[in-house]
Amino acid sequence: MTKKLHQNQQTKHNPVLRPTQHRARIIQTLLKQLFCLFLTLLVISPIYLVFINSFKTKGEAARMSIALPTEWHFENYTKVIEDGKLIQGFTNSMTYSVLSTAVAVLLCAMAAYVMCRNRSKLNTMLYYFTICGLFIPVNFVTVMKVLQTLRLAETRAGLILVFTSSMIPFCVFTIKSFVSSVPVELDEAAVIDGAGPLQLFFGIIIPLLKPILATAFILEFMGVWNDFITPLYLTSKSSMWPMNLAVYNFFGKNASYWNLVFADIMLTCLPVIIIYLLGQKYIISGLTSGAVKE
Amino acid sequence: MKKNKIYPIWFIIAPLILYIVFFLTPSLLGVWYSFTDWNVRSKGIINFIGIDNYIQIFTSNIDYSSGILNTLKFTLISNIVKLIPALFLAILLKEKLKGKNFYRTIFYLPSILPFLVIGLIFKSILNFNDGLLNAAFEFLHLDFMKQKWLSDLGVVWKSIYGVDAWRGIGYVMTIFLAGLNAIPSSYYEAASIDGANFFHKLRYITLPMLTGAITINLVFGLTYGLKVFDIVYVLTNGGPGHATEVLTTYSYQLYANGAYGMATALNTILFLITTVLGVMIVTYMSKQEVRND
């Protein structure tokens, strides 16, 4: 609003420049729009290519054209669900993503809350100790060794624990910065009313943390869903493979059947795309909480 | 109030144990095992062999050290390729533009897709004979632009950077946008009155006010670059030859071949690089926090 006013003032001062300035602005907007449309095309076309070719026959898909299929072969999808063991992959991916993320978000919320509220020397040290993990790479070779020692190798529980542990630094980091915006007075009032730490945390704090918990949950859920390297190292039985790995192996066996590979890819991406479109505002707010703070 | 009673330390213990057991211990164990001959045949008998693994990394006829250099190169270039365009894109989408929310949604979309899937899609798009990219150049009568995107030594890295940017620019842009939105528009208005042009504003207002977003992007970008695996593994699997091997792909090969000691030695090198970087960043952050308090 103020910007507009200011522009008007300026054009009043220079009445001669008005028409050319106006035209320059229109051309500029037009160029910007064209540029953005071009980029949109760049982003969309690979996804479109996958979508359209997933309905073609093997021969037609091999040509990778962007033309519509001559016949729509919806049965590609049923075939791939059976041959690619996608039901099993989907169940595995869901189990890993939901369980590991839920456990991590809950535990990290408790830890981040205490680290934020009780800034003793020990807690502060533990906080920085934890977020060092943001940078440290997971050494999967020795993770396997640890899992073997604990008799958790090749088990779903082991894999879930590894996923959970690897997201702890990020969850503690994001949740802690949010906790500091929740007023301490609420805690004090609850304590005066006789609430214990568990009642206080689950009854009063958790409901207030909902937005950041949603953000952490969505981001980490997608992280596990998209994670390829962890199951690649830690699972050898195909019955434990998440969708990701199932697709990769399906591609290895059927590299020339691009129609089926693409159908497989569509089905793997669908859950994350749906979650993205539904939870977009949480994703953006979570990503950006750090960027605006300083 | 008794802080330790209201905010009990046992709230911290469960995630701390998980973090130590499944995250930190493996990394530290890796340092120990990198000095041993641990391998698939060593059935419980593991011998300490000093720095032999490290000597082999730097002298073996398989060029592991170029894998380390490639990792550093990827970290540097992939970040430049993403950060600079993303900044201008964010500036563009911050201004009044019809449909900017739509563009933001679309540009961010690739970064939620699994890397594996993106790798497979681009394997088909970059195919020399019937890939979409070469077909598009043919259609536009730009045949000289056609390339063997994934097998030509001079082009293959550019393809990797391109695919990586396709996925990552929207993510970096989103973080920049949040930073830009926090800059009061009155700053720009005042500068306009003083006759500042686009680059003056960028240099004296935007960049200095954007340090938070730039830091976040650099931190995520650097750690991502050093740990890069999926995209290289799926797109080229280190090829042609060993031209695009990075630290993690070599490490995975060694692991798959049962040379666990060697694999952990490579991982330990990565661990050292990231730890030094991480400690520097965390120290910086803790100083910032103290200043803000």
Side-chain angles (χ1 to χ4, degrees):
Chain A
M1 200 53 196
T2 42
K3 209 169 184 178
K4 211 172 208 169
L5 264 176
H6 170 64
Q7 276 161 9
N8 285 343
Q9 275 168 3
Q10 224 182 18
T11 38
K12 256 179 213 160
H13 287 306
N14 313 307
V16 196
L17 277 174
R18 214 173 178 181
T20 36
Q21 235 182 13
H22 188 61
R23 195 179 302 148
R25 190 147 296 149
I26 287 179
I27 290 173
Q28 214 181 20
T29 317
L30 207 69
L31 284 176
K32 281 179 189 168
Q33 282 291 350
L34 277 175
F35 180 67
C36 284
L37 283 173
F38 172 73
L39 288 182
T40 306
L41 204 69
L42 223 54
V43 170
I44 294 292
S45 53
I47 300 169
Y48 169 81
L49 179 84
V50 171
F51 177 75
I52 211 73
N53 279 293
S54 69
F55 294 105
K56 293 180 181 173
T57 60
K58 184 196 171 195
E60 217 181 338
R63 265 174 269 133
M64 299 281 168
S65 82
I66 51 169
L68 292 177
T70 40
E71 256 178 82
W72 291 78
H73 289 274
F74 293 100
E75 75 274 10
N76 285 350
Y77 280 82
T78 48
K79 190 167 169 24
V80 104
I81 288 173
E82 279 168 30
D83 293 1
K85 293 184 182 162
L86 279 193
I87 302 280
Q88 194 180 52
F90 180 81
T91 321
N92 284 339
S93 281
M94 267 299 172
T95 316
Y96 302 149
S97 309
V98 171
L99 285 182
S100 62
T101 314
V103 172
V105 169
L106 179 68
L107 293 182
C108 292
M110 295 172 77
Y113 162 72
V114 168
M115 285 169 176
C116 182
R117 287 290 205 255
N118 183 3
R119 299 198 180 186
S120 63
K121 253 196 178 132
L122 176 69
N123 284 350
T124 313
M125 195 206 80
L126 288 178
Y127 170 69
Y128 287 116
F129 175 70
T130 310
I131 63 166
C132 276
L134 284 173
F135 311 99
I136 297 172
V138 183
N139 189 337
F140 290 103
V141 186
T142 37
V143 166
M144 196 63 186
K145 184 83 184 169
V146 169
L147 289 180
Q148 277 164 357
T149 314
L150 298 172
R151 302 192 178 281
L152 286 168
E154 299 283 339
T155 64
R156 291 192 167 77
L159 198 57
I160 289 171
L161 283 172
V162 171
F163 278 130
T164 301
S165 312
S166 67
M167 50 179 103
I168 285 172
F170 180 80
C171 285
V172 167
F173 176 66
T174 37
I175 299 173
K176 188 194 169 234
S177 65
F178 188 89
V179 173
S180 44
S181 68
V182 177
V184 193
E185 287 75 23
L186 290 172
D187 302 22
E188 287 159 5
V191 171
I192 291 167
D193 289 348
L198 281 175
Q199 273 170 301
L200 168 63
F201 180 72
F202 285 100
I204 293 169
I205 303 298
I206 282 266
L208 294 170
L209 294 183
K210 261 187 205 153
I212 193 68
L213 298 185
T215 302
F217 187 87
I218 291 172
L219 285 176
E220 291 297 351
F221 179 95
M222 297 204 300
V224 176
W225 191 277
N226 294 344
D227 191 333
F228 175 65
I229 190 169
T230 310
L232 182 70
Y233 266 97
L234 302 182
T235 62
S236 56
K237 283 185 287 186
S238 68
S239 62
M240 277 179 60
W241 284 345
M243 263 183 132
N244 233 338
L245 217 57
V247 173
Y248 188 66
N249 280 280
F250 185 82
F251 171 76
K253 284 185 205 138
N254 306 286
S256 57
Y257 288 85
W258 277 107
N259 53 344
L260 300 183
V261 171
F262 281 159
D264 207 341
I265 287 177
M266 282 310 293
L267 290 172
T268 310
C269 292
L270 214 55
V272 274
I273 293 180
I274 292 173
I275 289 176
Y276 169 58
L277 294 177
L278 292 179
Q280 202 189 354
K281 78 166 193 230
Y282 290 111
I283 299 174
I284 307 296
S285 70
L287 278 181
T288 53
S289 58
V292 199
K293 256 191 110 185
E294 274 175 64
Chain B
M1 284 204 299
K2 284 164 235 120
K3 280 203 163 178
N4 288 331
K5 211 170 166 193
I6 311 164
Y7 311 116
I9 185 101
W10 62 265
F11 270 36
I12 300 180
I13 287 179
L16 195 67
I17 289 176
L18 284 177
Y19 171 68
I20 291 175
V21 172
F22 294 100
F23 194 93
L24 223 55
T25 309
S27 291
L28 296 175
L29 266 183
V31 178
W32 155 249
Y33 278 115
S34 72
F35 297 108
T36 69
D37 66 349
W38 181 30
N39 65 65
V40 70
R41 283 177 303 279
S42 50
K43 303 210 166 64
I45 309 154
I46 294 167
N47 304 305
F48 183 80
I49 54 166
I51 57 165
D52 281 12
N53 286 327
Y54 292 95
I55 292 174
Q56 213 181 330
I57 284 173
F58 291 105
T59 57
S60 152
N61 51 358
I62 298 176
D63 202 356
Y64 295 113
S65 43
S66 80
I68 300 172
L69 285 180
N70 281 341
T71 300
L72 298 176
K73 196 178 83 176
F74 176 87
T75 307
L76 183 72
I77 299 180
S78 72
N79 274 302
I80 296 174
V81 169
K82 282 183 285 190
L83 256 69
I84 295 171
L87 176 63
F88 287 106
L89 208 56
I91 292 174
L92 178 68
L93 287 187
K94 201 222 155 197
E95 291 167 19
K96 278 198 211 88
L97 195 71
K98 252 198 187 125
K100 67 177 175 186
N101 287 329
F102 168 78
Y103 293 133
R104 286 180 193 181
T105 308
I106 292 292
F107 295 164
Y108 187 75
L109 183 67
S111 45
I112 61 149
L113 299 177
F115 247 127
L116 167 91
V117 160
I118 291 173
L120 289 180
I121 297 175
F122 276 92
K123 236 180 140 95
S124 105
I125 290 177
L126 300 176
N127 189 298
F128 177 71
N129 289 318
D130 38 37
L132 183 64
L133 188 59
N134 279 347
F137 283 133
E138 219 164 291
F139 178 76
L140 295 168
H141 298 286
L142 293 168
D143 287 47
F144 66 95
M145 291 284 283
K146 282 171 69 175
Q147 299 285 351
K148 289 182 175 151
W149 299 105
L150 294 175
S151 52
D152 187 328
L153 282 176
V155 184
V156 63
W157 272 112
K158 295 185 187 110
S159 306
I160 294 178
Y161 295 133
V163 175
D164 186 59
W166 183 83
R167 185 191 198 255
I169 281 188
Y171 179 90
V172 181
M173 178 201 79
T174 306
I175 293 178
F176 275 142
L177 263 171
L180 288 176
N181 283 332
I183 305 177
S185 59
S186 57
Y187 288 18
Y188 291 105
E189 284 154 22
S192 297
I193 293 172
D194 291 343
N197 65 23
F198 174 80
F199 290 101
H200 290 142
K201 288 182 206 163
L202 181 69
R203 167 75 183 78
Y204 295 105
I205 302 173
T206 310
L207 288 180
M209 295 290 290
L210 217 52
T211 38
I214 294 172
T215 314
I216 293 271
N217 272 331
L218 274 179
V219 169
F220 286 149
L222 292 179
T223 48
Y224 160 76
L226 292 170
K227 295 183 205 171
V228 66
F229 174 78
D230 304 21
I231 189 168
V232 178
Y233 181 74
V234 180
L235 266 186
T236 66
N237 198 4
H242 288 294
T244 55
E245 299 277 8
V246 287
L247 236 157
T248 48
T249 56
Y250 268 135
S251 169
Y252 180 68
Q253 272 166 30
L254 286 165
Y255 171 78
N257 294 333
Y260 303 141
M262 280 286 282
T264 52
L266 271 180
N267 286 348
T268 301
I269 292 175
L270 184 63
F271 174 68
L272 285 180
I273 299 173
T274 47
T275 305
V276 169
L277 190 75
V279 167
M280 271 159 51
I281 295 169
V282 171
T283 322
Y284 171 76
M285 275 164 45
S286 62
K287 273 186 195 145
Q288 288 277 313
E289 193 120 320
V290 170
R291 216 170 58 187
N292 288 349
D293 274 355

mmCIF file of all heavy atoms in Angstrom, chain B residues 68-99:
data_model
loop_
_atom_site.group_PDB
_atom_site.id
_atom_site.type_symbol
_atom_site.label_atom_id
_atom_site.label_comp_id
_atom_site.label_asym_id
_atom_site.label_seq_id
_atom_site.Cartn_x
_atom_site.Cartn_y
_atom_site.Cartn_z
ATOM 1 N N ILE B 68 37.116 -38.851 -2.387
ATOM 2 C CA ILE B 68 37.067 -37.816 -1.349
ATOM 3 C C ILE B 68 37.032 -36.430 -1.996
ATOM 4 O O ILE B 68 36.217 -35.571 -1.633
ATOM 5 C CB ILE B 68 38.286 -37.942 -0.408
ATOM 6 C CG1 ILE B 68 38.270 -39.327 0.249
ATOM 7 C CG2 ILE B 68 38.278 -36.843 0.639
ATOM 8 C CD1 ILE B 68 39.522 -39.641 1.033
ATOM 9 N N LEU B 69 37.905 -36.238 -2.992
ATOM 10 C CA LEU B 69 37.922 -34.941 -3.681
ATOM 11 C C LEU B 69 36.586 -34.656 -4.365
ATOM 12 O O LEU B 69 36.081 -33.531 -4.316
ATOM 13 C CB LEU B 69 39.051 -34.902 -4.716
ATOM 14 C CG LEU B 69 40.451 -34.748 -4.150
ATOM 15 C CD1 LEU B 69 41.477 -34.711 -5.265
ATOM 16 C CD2 LEU B 69 40.545 -33.462 -3.314
ATOM 17 N N ASN B 70 36.020 -35.708 -4.996
ATOM 18 C CA ASN B 70 34.726 -35.517 -5.652
ATOM 19 C C ASN B 70 33.649 -35.094 -4.666
ATOM 20 O O ASN B 70 32.788 -34.283 -4.988
ATOM 21 C CB ASN B 70 34.286 -36.808 -6.348
ATOM 22 C CG ASN B 70 34.999 -37.002 -7.667
ATOM 23 O OD1 ASN B 70 35.540 -36.055 -8.219
ATOM 24 N ND2 ASN B 70 35.016 -38.228 -8.165
ATOM 25 N N THR B 71 33.695 -35.679 -3.447
ATOM 26 C CA THR B 71 32.722 -35.294 -2.432
ATOM 27 C C THR B 71 32.843 -33.800 -2.127
ATOM 28 O O THR B 71 31.842 -33.080 -2.070
ATOM 29 C CB THR B 71 32.948 -36.105 -1.144
ATOM 30 O OG1 THR B 71 32.803 -37.481 -1.456
ATOM 31 C CG2 THR B 71 31.958 -35.722 -0.066
ATOM 32 N N LEU B 72 34.078 -33.341 -1.937
ATOM 33 C CA LEU B 72 34.285 -31.920 -1.622
ATOM 34 C C LEU B 72 33.853 -31.044 -2.790
ATOM 35 O O LEU B 72 33.203 -30.006 -2.611
ATOM 36 C CB LEU B 72 35.759 -31.671 -1.280
ATOM 37 C CG LEU B 72 36.267 -32.421 -0.042
ATOM 38 C CD1 LEU B 72 37.756 -32.174 0.143
ATOM 39 C CD2 LEU B 72 35.501 -31.987 1.206
ATOM 40 N N LYS B 73 34.190 -31.497 -4.008
ATOM 41 C CA LYS B 73 33.822 -30.741 -5.201
ATOM 42 C C LYS B 73 32.302 -30.647 -5.319
ATOM 43 O O LYS B 73 31.753 -29.579 -5.570
ATOM 44 C CB LYS B 73 34.410 -31.445 -6.444
ATOM 45 C CG LYS B 73 34.435 -30.596 -7.687
ATOM 46 C CD LYS B 73 35.072 -31.351 -8.859
ATOM 47 C CE LYS B 73 34.053 -32.243 -9.525
ATOM 48 N NZ LYS B 73 34.551 -32.951 -10.718
ATOM 49 N N PHE B 74 31.637 -31.786 -5.102
ATOM 50 C CA PHE B 74 30.173 -31.797 -5.194
ATOM 51 C C PHE B 74 29.584 -30.832 -4.166
ATOM 52 O O PHE B 74 28.674 -30.058 -4.486
ATOM 53 C CB PHE B 74 29.628 -33.204 -4.954
ATOM 54 C CG PHE B 74 28.124 -33.264 -4.945
ATOM 55 C CD1 PHE B 74 27.424 -33.429 -6.123
ATOM 56 C CD2 PHE B 74 27.410 -33.130 -3.760
ATOM 57 C CE1 PHE B 74 26.038 -33.455 -6.134
ATOM 58 C CE2 PHE B 74 26.024 -33.149 -3.762
ATOM 59 C CZ PHE B 74 25.345 -33.315 -4.946
ATOM 60 N N THR B 75 30.110 -30.877 -2.943
ATOM 61 C CA THR B 75 29.586 -30.016 -1.882
ATOM 62 C C THR B 75 29.680 -28.549 -2.286
ATOM 63 O O THR B 75 28.723 -27.784 -2.137
ATOM 64 C CB THR B 75 30.385 -30.242 -0.586
ATOM 65 O OG1 THR B 75 30.393 -31.632 -0.309
ATOM 66 C CG2 THR B 75 29.764 -29.496 0.570
ATOM 67 N N LEU B 76 30.828 -28.177 -2.833
ATOM 68 C CA LEU B 76 31.042 -26.778 -3.197
ATOM 69 C C LEU B 76 30.145 -26.375 -4.370
ATOM 70 O O LEU B 76 29.345 -25.433 -4.269
ATOM 71 C CB LEU B 76 32.514 -26.572 -3.550
ATOM 72 C CG LEU B 76 32.899 -25.134 -3.881
ATOM 73 C CD1 LEU B 76 32.899 -24.306 -2.605
ATOM 74 C CD2 LEU B 76 34.264 -25.075 -4.550
ATOM 75 N N ILE B 77 30.256 -27.117 -5.476
ATOM 76 C CA ILE B 77 29.570 -26.678 -6.697
ATOM 77 C C ILE B 77 28.056 -26.821 -6.571
ATOM 78 O O ILE B 77 27.314 -25.921 -6.949
ATOM 79 C CB ILE B 77 30.096 -27.456 -7.926
ATOM 80 C CG1 ILE B 77 31.594 -27.180 -8.087
ATOM 81 C CG2 ILE B 77 29.352 -27.042 -9.189
ATOM 82 C CD1 ILE B 77 32.236 -27.883 -9.240
ATOM 83 N N SER B 78 27.585 -27.933 -6.004
ATOM 84 C CA SER B 78 26.131 -28.112 -5.937
ATOM 85 C C SER B 78 25.496 -26.987 -5.125
ATOM 86 O O SER B 78 24.380 -26.557 -5.414
ATOM 87 C CB SER B 78 25.777 -29.473 -5.350
ATOM 88 O OG SER B 78 26.054 -29.501 -3.978
ATOM 89 N N ASN B 79 26.232 -26.487 -4.120
ATOM 90 C CA ASN B 79 25.667 -25.393 -3.330
ATOM 91 C C ASN B 79 25.652 -24.077 -4.093
ATOM 92 O O ASN B 79 24.686 -23.322 -4.015
ATOM 93 C CB ASN B 79 26.438 -25.235 -2.027
ATOM 94 C CG ASN B 79 25.896 -26.165 -0.975
ATOM 95 O OD1 ASN B 79 24.723 -26.114 -0.647
ATOM 96 N ND2 ASN B 79 26.728 -27.047 -0.481
ATOM 97 N N ILE B 80 26.722 -23.813 -4.842
ATOM 98 C CA ILE B 80 26.737 -22.589 -5.642
ATOM 99 C C ILE B 80 25.605 -22.630 -6.667
ATOM 100 O O ILE B 80 24.852 -21.667 -6.837
ATOM 101 C CB ILE B 80 28.095 -22.428 -6.355
ATOM 102 C CG1 ILE B 80 29.208 -22.259 -5.315
ATOM 103 C CG2 ILE B 80 28.071 -21.242 -7.316
ATOM 104 C CD1 ILE B 80 30.596 -22.246 -5.900
ATOM 105 N N VAL B 81 25.480 -23.783 -7.315
ATOM 106 C CA VAL B 81 24.480 -23.946 -8.368
ATOM 107 C C VAL B 81 23.057 -23.782 -7.833
ATOM 108 O O VAL B 81 22.166 -23.363 -8.548
ATOM 109 C CB VAL B 81 24.657 -25.337 -9.023
ATOM 110 C CG1 VAL B 81 23.496 -25.683 -9.921
ATOM 111 C CG2 VAL B 81 25.943 -25.374 -9.817
ATOM 112 N N LYS B 82 22.841 -24.120 -6.561
ATOM 113 C CA LYS B 82 21.496 -23.996 -6.015
ATOM 114 C C LYS B 82 21.267 -22.642 -5.342
ATOM 115 O O LYS B 82 20.238 -22.014 -5.531
ATOM 116 C CB LYS B 82 21.226 -25.116 -5.005
ATOM 117 C CG LYS B 82 20.901 -26.433 -5.672
ATOM 118 C CD LYS B 82 20.562 -27.508 -4.673
ATOM 119 C CE LYS B 82 21.770 -28.027 -3.954
ATOM 120 N NZ LYS B 82 21.498 -29.231 -3.161
ATOM 121 N N LEU B 83 22.236 -22.182 -4.549
ATOM 122 C CA LEU B 83 22.004 -21.003 -3.716
ATOM 123 C C LEU B 83 21.786 -19.725 -4.528
ATOM 124 O O LEU B 83 20.867 -18.959 -4.241
ATOM 125 C CB LEU B 83 23.163 -20.810 -2.736
ATOM 126 C CG LEU B 83 22.823 -21.229 -1.313
ATOM 127 C CD1 LEU B 83 22.650 -22.733 -1.228
ATOM 128 C CD2 LEU B 83 23.908 -20.798 -0.345
ATOM 129 N N ILE B 84 22.619 -19.503 -5.530
ATOM 130 C CA ILE B 84 22.525 -18.235 -6.252
ATOM 131 C C ILE B 84 21.224 -18.113 -7.072
ATOM 132 O O ILE B 84 20.486 -17.145 -6.905
ATOM 133 C CB ILE B 84 23.797 -17.995 -7.095
ATOM 134 C CG1 ILE B 84 24.983 -17.841 -6.124
ATOM 135 C CG2 ILE B 84 23.663 -16.762 -7.976
ATOM 136 C CD1 ILE B 84 26.331 -17.806 -6.784
ATOM 137 N N PRO B 85 20.896 -19.111 -7.913
ATOM 138 C CA PRO B 85 19.610 -19.005 -8.609
ATOM 139 C C PRO B 85 18.435 -18.951 -7.640
ATOM 140 O O PRO B 85 17.472 -18.216 -7.878
ATOM 141 C CB PRO B 85 19.542 -20.278 -9.455
ATOM 142 C CG PRO B 85 20.910 -20.777 -9.539
ATOM 143 C CD PRO B 85 21.615 -20.332 -8.311
ATOM 144 N N ALA B 86 18.512 -19.718 -6.552
ATOM 145 C CA ALA B 86 17.392 -19.743 -5.602
ATOM 146 C C ALA B 86 17.177 -18.372 -4.977
ATOM 147 O O ALA B 86 16.041 -17.956 -4.745
ATOM 148 C CB ALA B 86 17.655 -20.785 -4.520
ATOM 149 N N LEU B 87 18.269 -17.638 -4.742
ATOM 150 C CA LEU B 87 18.134 -16.307 -4.156
ATOM 151 C C LEU B 87 17.376 -15.381 -5.104
ATOM 152 O O LEU B 87 16.443 -14.686 -4.708
ATOM 153 C CB LEU B 87 19.517 -15.735 -3.832
ATOM 154 C CG LEU B 87 19.516 -14.302 -3.303
ATOM 155 C CD1 LEU B 87 18.775 -14.234 -1.977
ATOM 156 C CD2 LEU B 87 20.935 -13.782 -3.126
ATOM 157 N N PHE B 88 17.773 -15.394 -6.390
ATOM 158 C CA PHE B 88 17.096 -14.519 -7.347
ATOM 159 C C PHE B 88 15.647 -14.939 -7.560
ATOM 160 O O PHE B 88 14.753 -14.092 -7.699
ATOM 161 C CB PHE B 88 17.869 -14.481 -8.668
ATOM 162 C CG PHE B 88 19.136 -13.685 -8.563
ATOM 163 C CD1 PHE B 88 20.370 -14.290 -8.513
ATOM 164 C CD2 PHE B 88 19.075 -12.293 -8.454
ATOM 165 C CE1 PHE B 88 21.529 -13.557 -8.383
ATOM 166 C CE2 PHE B 88 20.228 -11.543 -8.314
ATOM 167 C CZ PHE B 88 21.461 -12.177 -8.280
ATOM 168 N N LEU B 89 15.429 -16.246 -7.532
ATOM 169 C CA LEU B 89 14.060 -16.746 -7.668
ATOM 170 C C LEU B 89 13.206 -16.278 -6.492
ATOM 171 O O LEU B 89 12.052 -15.853 -6.667
ATOM 172 C CB LEU B 89 14.103 -18.276 -7.711
ATOM 173 C CG LEU B 89 12.997 -18.984 -8.469
ATOM 174 C CD1 LEU B 89 12.934 -18.481 -9.892
ATOM 175 C CD2 LEU B 89 13.234 -20.486 -8.446
ATOM 176 N N ALA B 90 13.780 -16.322 -5.299
ATOM 177 C CA ALA B 90 13.039 -15.880 -4.118
ATOM 178 C C ALA B 90 12.728 -14.393 -4.215
ATOM 179 O O ALA B 90 11.624 -13.958 -3.893
ATOM 180 C CB ALA B 90 13.853 -16.181 -2.858
ATOM 181 N N ILE B 91 13.695 -13.599 -4.697
ATOM 182 C CA ILE B 91 13.462 -12.161 -4.847
ATOM 183 C C ILE B 91 12.338 -11.927 -5.854
ATOM 184 O O ILE B 91 11.437 -11.111 -5.640
ATOM 185 C CB ILE B 91 14.760 -11.450 -5.290
ATOM 186 C CG1 ILE B 91 15.782 -11.502 -4.163
ATOM 187 C CG2 ILE B 91 14.486 -10.005 -5.690
ATOM 188 C CD1 ILE B 91 17.151 -10.966 -4.523
ATOM 189 N N LEU B 92 12.370 -12.707 -6.935
ATOM 190 C CA LEU B 92 11.336 -12.583 -7.967
ATOM 191 C C LEU B 92 9.953 -12.912 -7.416
ATOM 192 O O LEU B 92 8.976 -12.216 -7.681
ATOM 193 C CB LEU B 92 11.681 -13.531 -9.121
ATOM 194 C CG LEU B 92 10.708 -13.594 -10.292
ATOM 195 C CD1 LEU B 92 10.731 -12.281 -11.044
ATOM 196 C CD2 LEU B 92 11.076 -14.737 -11.221
ATOM 197 N N LEU B 93 9.880 -13.979 -6.619
ATOM 198 C CA LEU B 93 8.577 -14.427 -6.124
ATOM 199 C C LEU B 93 8.135 -13.674 -4.881
ATOM 200 O O LEU B 93 7.070 -13.915 -4.343
ATOM 201 C CB LEU B 93 8.612 -15.923 -5.819
ATOM 202 C CG LEU B 93 8.637 -16.832 -7.039
ATOM 203 C CD1 LEU B 93 8.489 -18.275 -6.619
ATOM 204 C CD2 LEU B 93 7.528 -16.471 -8.009
ATOM 205 N N LYS B 94 8.976 -12.765 -4.411
ATOM 206 C CA LYS B 94 8.575 -11.992 -3.244
ATOM 207 C C LYS B 94 7.765 -10.783 -3.700
ATOM 208 O O LYS B 94 6.901 -10.303 -2.985
ATOM 209 C CB LYS B 94 9.816 -11.534 -2.479
ATOM 210 C CG LYS B 94 9.527 -11.175 -1.036
ATOM 211 C CD LYS B 94 10.255 -9.936 -0.620
ATOM 212 C CE LYS B 94 9.508 -9.291 0.527
ATOM 213 N NZ LYS B 94 9.937 -7.916 0.704
ATOM 214 N N GLU B 95 8.090 -10.299 -4.896
ATOM 215 C CA GLU B 95 7.394 -9.120 -5.408
ATOM 216 C C GLU B 95 5.973 -9.470 -5.831
ATOM 217 O O GLU B 95 5.595 -10.623 -5.868
ATOM 218 C CB GLU B 95 8.184 -8.568 -6.607
ATOM 219 C CG GLU B 95 9.507 -7.973 -6.198
ATOM 220 C CD GLU B 95 10.399 -7.737 -7.399
ATOM 221 O OE1 GLU B 95 9.874 -7.698 -8.523
ATOM 222 O OE2 GLU B 95 11.617 -7.613 -7.205
ATOM 223 N N LYS B 96 5.225 -8.414 -6.160
ATOM 224 C CA LYS B 96 3.848 -8.650 -6.612
ATOM 225 C C LYS B 96 3.897 -9.371 -7.948
ATOM 226 O O LYS B 96 4.442 -8.868 -8.915
ATOM 227 C CB LYS B 96 3.127 -7.313 -6.782
ATOM 228 C CG LYS B 96 2.596 -6.773 -5.483
ATOM 229 C CD LYS B 96 1.539 -5.709 -5.749
ATOM 230 C CE LYS B 96 1.561 -4.690 -4.634
ATOM 231 N NZ LYS B 96 2.524 -3.599 -4.871
ATOM 232 N N LEU B 97 3.339 -10.558 -7.983
ATOM 233 C CA LEU B 97 3.321 -11.312 -9.228
ATOM 234 C C LEU B 97 2.105 -12.224 -9.163
ATOM 235 O O LEU B 97 1.902 -12.923 -8.174
ATOM 236 C CB LEU B 97 4.600 -12.141 -9.353
ATOM 237 C CG LEU B 97 4.906 -12.697 -10.723
ATOM 238 C CD1 LEU B 97 5.316 -11.587 -11.684
ATOM 239 C CD2 LEU B 97 6.013 -13.732 -10.640
ATOM 240 N N LYS B 98 1.306 -12.179 -10.227
ATOM 241 C CA LYS B 98 0.111 -13.030 -10.233
ATOM 242 C C LYS B 98 0.522 -14.486 -10.156
ATOM 243 O O LYS B 98 1.442 -14.914 -10.845
ATOM 244 C CB LYS B 98 -0.694 -12.780 -11.502
ATOM 245 C CG LYS B 98 -1.970 -12.028 -11.211
ATOM 246 C CD LYS B 98 -2.986 -12.136 -12.317
ATOM 247 C CE LYS B 98 -4.141 -11.210 -12.012
ATOM 248 N NZ LYS B 98 -4.410 -10.269 -13.088
ATOM 249 N N GLY B 99 -0.136 -15.252 -9.309
ATOM 250 C CA GLY B 99 0.105 -16.693 -9.242
ATOM 251 C C GLY B 99 1.361 -17.073 -8.492
ATOM 252 O O GLY B 99 1.866 -18.182 -8.637
#
